[in-house]
Amino acid sequence: MVRYLLQILAAALVVLLLFSCEDEGYMSSTDAQLNFSVDTVTFDTIFTTIGSTTRRFTVQNPYDEDVLISRIRLAGGDASNFKLNINGYMGSELYEVALPAKDSIFIFVEVTIDPNGQNLPMVVQDSIEFTTNTNFQSVLLEAYGQDFKLIKSERIKTTTWTAEKPYLVYDYAYVDSTETLTIEPGTKIYFHKDAGLYVRGNLVADGTFDSPIIMRADRLEPSYENIPDQWNGVVLYSGSHNNLLNFVTIKNANIGLQVGTIENEGYASLQLSNSRIENMAYAGLFALKSKIFAYNDVIANCGYYAAALLVGGEYEFYHTTIANYWGNYGSGVRTTPSLVISNVLIVENSNGEQISYNGDLAKATFGNSIIYGNIGKEMELGNNNENTFNYLFDHCIIQAPDTLNVSDKNHYINVMLGSDYEPEFIDPYNNLIYELDTLSAAKDIGTTRYSEIFPIDLLNKSRTADDGPDLGAYERIEK
């Protein structure tokens, strides 16, 4: 008797479930078509094994009736490089997903590309399949990745980094004293968050016009292209000599390039040429009691200082563009000048006491250069009146108040001040282009003393082909 009663209850339950399904009222047409916010989910270049940021898209029900998606599946299944999150469910396959009328759900996608030993970029593809009332639809997934050489918390012995594969630095790469890191033309070095390159020995990064060396963050999505503070930058410790950076781009760090360290004896020395240092949260070039010889460089777009030359030292900058139009990426308005030159640095220690570091400024020469930006005072001099303080601006445009006295020929030769001498950069705000426009006040007004020494500009154009050399790193040749 009990057995028959259980059979009756089971049958009643089946009938109830059938009627419940009918009551759901899902659209039954085999012509039902879901709408997708994209037809392809694309990941830009990502690093093998590290993964990517998450992409998302929406699946929309365009009808006035509820729709039941019979199955959503990743075509490659669990073996796929892609991973799904379907409205909160993590997995490669999900059945019977209810989608109310005129409603939508989110699908999140991420990808990891495994190294395959190839040196060329890789393309990984898959698709997400949707089955609705026997109707089949799909969304394509594609990712472009590249194998790399991982440098993680590594002390570098004398070695050469080549352009064969990109390098990815995690935590740090440290070049010990007596060791040399040589970086060949065309090499790309990507730094993870908070990573940096620290040099006590010697750094020789000698790129070419056709094959520059790139140092930047490892976030390659377009939205991160010019975002600062993604890594820690390059530090040359005091005692590190004969460093060379030629045709090198350093971007998107906190301090792009620090030359010299206050806590170490001696100085650091560097030749910096044909290079770009830009989009830094704090400073592009931060030098302490060091020696720098520079030409054909752009130092631009930094949250505090484009270039800070502190505690004395010896510095020469020729055909250099220092341009700071910070504002698109910072949370506040910049009030600090683009260029600071000082023979003193005052810092506060952990006890709240102020400590003063002083040093002789043997030389700070700027020839045929531009110091400009979007605040009224883009150059500041700090003299403690105790140490040597020698500086010279020779044929330069400086964004500074008219009250700056430039009559002393020991310090200023043919220096033009203020907005009457606007360099007219092509696009300093949006696309960060610091080449000169046709109406630039910097055209043809440089001295040939420097252009004869540096006759080719940063873009491989001749400075001797027209009426005179232009100021800054770029020569404008009118057609």
Side-chain angles (χ1 to χ4, degrees):
M1 184 70 176
V2 174
R3 185 180 65 182
Y4 292 126
L5 181 59
L6 291 175
Q7 290 176 344
I8 292 171
L9 289 173
L13 181 60
V14 170
V15 171
L16 179 62
L17 290 173
L18 289 173
F19 277 105
S20 297
C21 289
E22 291 179 1
D23 289 342
E24 289 290 340
Y26 292 117
M27 185 178 184
S28 59
S29 172
T30 56
D31 295 326
Q33 291 277 328
L34 303 171
N35 289 344
F36 306 104
S37 57
V38 295
D39 58 7
T40 302
V41 178
T42 301
F43 294 80
D44 296 302
T45 303
I46 56 176
F47 290 108
T48 58
T49 73
I50 299 303
S52 72
T53 56
T54 301
R55 296 282 191 268
R56 74 177 186 181
F57 67 98
T58 57
V59 182
Q60 302 151 352
N61 175 6
Y63 303 105
D64 293 324
E65 299 176 71
D66 295 351
V67 167
L68 184 66
I69 306 173
S70 303
R71 184 175 69 173
I72 302 175
R73 70 179 292 266
L74 192 58
D78 293 335
S80 176
N81 294 99
F82 297 89
K83 304 299 179 185
L84 301 183
N85 181 322
I86 306 169
N87 236 27
Y89 172 80
M90 295 288 294
S92 60
E93 196 168 37
L94 186 62
Y95 291 87
E96 296 189 341
V97 179
L99 188 51
K102 300 294 184 180
D103 205 349
S104 61
I105 60 172
F106 283 108
I107 295 184
F108 297 86
V109 188
E110 66 179 28
V111 63
T112 300
I113 298 178
D114 293 324
N116 61 7
Q118 296 180 7
N119 299 327
L120 299 176
M122 300 170 293
V123 180
V124 175
Q125 293 183 317
D126 205 340
S127 63
I128 306 174
E129 299 173 346
F130 299 82
T131 304
T132 310
N133 299 346
T134 71
N135 184 40
F136 179 85
Q137 294 174 271
S138 66
V139 171
L140 180 65
L141 307 176
E142 61 180 15
Y144 299 87
Q146 193 174 58
D147 200 2
F148 62 88
K149 298 179 181 179
L150 179 63
I151 306 294
K152 186 173 183 179
S153 305
E154 189 167 326
R155 298 178 77 93
I156 306 295
K157 299 294 184 181
T158 295
T159 190
T160 298
W161 289 0
T162 71
E164 179 188 12
K165 296 180 182 179
Y167 291 78
L168 177 59
V169 178
Y170 257 63
D171 297 333
Y172 63 83
Y174 180 85
V175 183
D176 214 340
S177 58
T178 74
E179 309 295 343
T180 297
L181 172 61
T182 301
I183 303 176
E184 291 187 344
T187 302
K188 294 180 173 61
I189 307 167
Y190 299 95
F191 294 83
H192 196 59
K193 181 65 176 174
D194 298 327
L197 174 59
Y198 307 108
V199 181
R200 287 189 182 274
N202 185 236
L203 175 64
V204 179
D206 195 3
T208 67
F209 175 74
D210 293 318
S211 299
I213 294 167
I214 308 297
M215 300 182 184
R216 56 164 294 175
D218 65 351
R219 298 295 296 269
L220 302 184
E221 305 93 316
S223 59
Y224 282 83
E225 178 63 26
N226 294 314
I227 299 297
D229 204 19
Q230 295 185 56
W231 58 293
N232 282 352
V234 179
V235 178
L236 307 177
Y237 286 82
S238 291
S240 172
H241 295 158
N242 301 317
N243 297 288
L244 171 66
L245 297 178
N246 183 43
F247 284 107
V248 176
T249 295
I250 304 174
K251 60 186 298 185
N252 302 348
N254 187 318
I255 295 177
L257 176 61
Q258 179 174 332
V259 184
T261 45
I262 200 68
E263 66 274 17
N264 299 109
E265 294 294 328
Y267 63 92
S269 62
L270 166 71
Q271 178 179 306
L272 177 67
S273 52
N274 301 303
S275 295
R276 295 173 62 100
I277 302 174
E278 52 192 355
N279 304 337
M280 308 302 170
Y282 187 75
L285 175 63
F286 193 79
L288 299 166
K289 59 182 177 104
S290 291
K291 297 181 180 181
I292 299 175
F293 182 83
Y295 61 91
N296 280 354
D297 298 307
V298 173
I299 308 172
N301 197 37
C302 302
Y304 286 82
Y305 311 101
L309 314 177
L310 309 175
V311 200
E314 297 182 24
Y315 308 101
E316 295 179 67
F317 291 83
Y318 303 105
H319 282 287
T320 295
T321 297
I322 296 176
N324 206 352
Y325 292 81
W326 177 269
N328 288 354
Y329 308 107
S331 59
V333 177
R334 176 178 63 92
T335 59
T336 47
S338 291
L339 173 64
V340 175
I341 304 172
S342 178
N343 57 12
V344 61
L345 173 64
I346 299 175
V347 298
E348 189 174 284
N349 65 15
S350 58
N351 297 323
E353 301 168 337
Q354 288 191 336
I355 300 176
S356 178
Y357 296 94
N358 306 278
D360 290 330
L361 183 69
K363 178 190 298 185
T365 299
F366 289 80
N368 283 4
S369 295
I370 300 172
I371 299 99
Y372 220 83
N374 58 353
I375 67 174
K377 183 181 179 181
E378 295 290 7
M379 189 268 289
E380 183 176 290
L381 303 175
N383 184 1
N384 62 10
N385 295 314
E386 296 177 1
N387 292 85
T388 304
F389 195 62
N390 291 327
Y391 64 93
L392 174 65
F393 294 91
D394 186 359
H395 288 75
C396 294
I397 289 177
I398 303 174
Q399 172 70 313
D402 294 338
T403 53
L404 177 64
N405 185 357
V406 295
S407 62
D408 186 348
K409 299 302 181 184
N410 292 317
H411 298 301
Y412 303 97
I413 301 173
N414 284 16
V415 169
M416 290 136 281
L417 299 177
S419 56
D420 290 341
Y421 299 94
E422 169 67 53
E424 296 288 351
F425 298 122
I426 288 179
D427 190 358
Y429 282 102
N430 296 317
N431 295 307
L432 311 180
I433 300 175
Y434 304 103
E435 299 169 46
L436 304 179
D437 205 347
T438 187
L439 298 178
S440 174
K443 287 179 53 181
D444 301 334
I445 64 171
T447 172
T448 57
R449 288 200 311 277
Y450 304 129
S451 63
E452 288 173 355
I453 302 172
F454 312 105
I456 304 299
D457 81 341
L458 182 54
L459 293 180
N460 214 27
K461 296 179 182 178
S462 172
R463 289 194 169 101
T464 62
D466 57 7
D467 294 337
D470 300 346
L471 305 188
Y474 298 108
E475 182 76 12
R476 181 176 180 87
I477 305 296
E478 300 293 349
K479 296 179 180 180

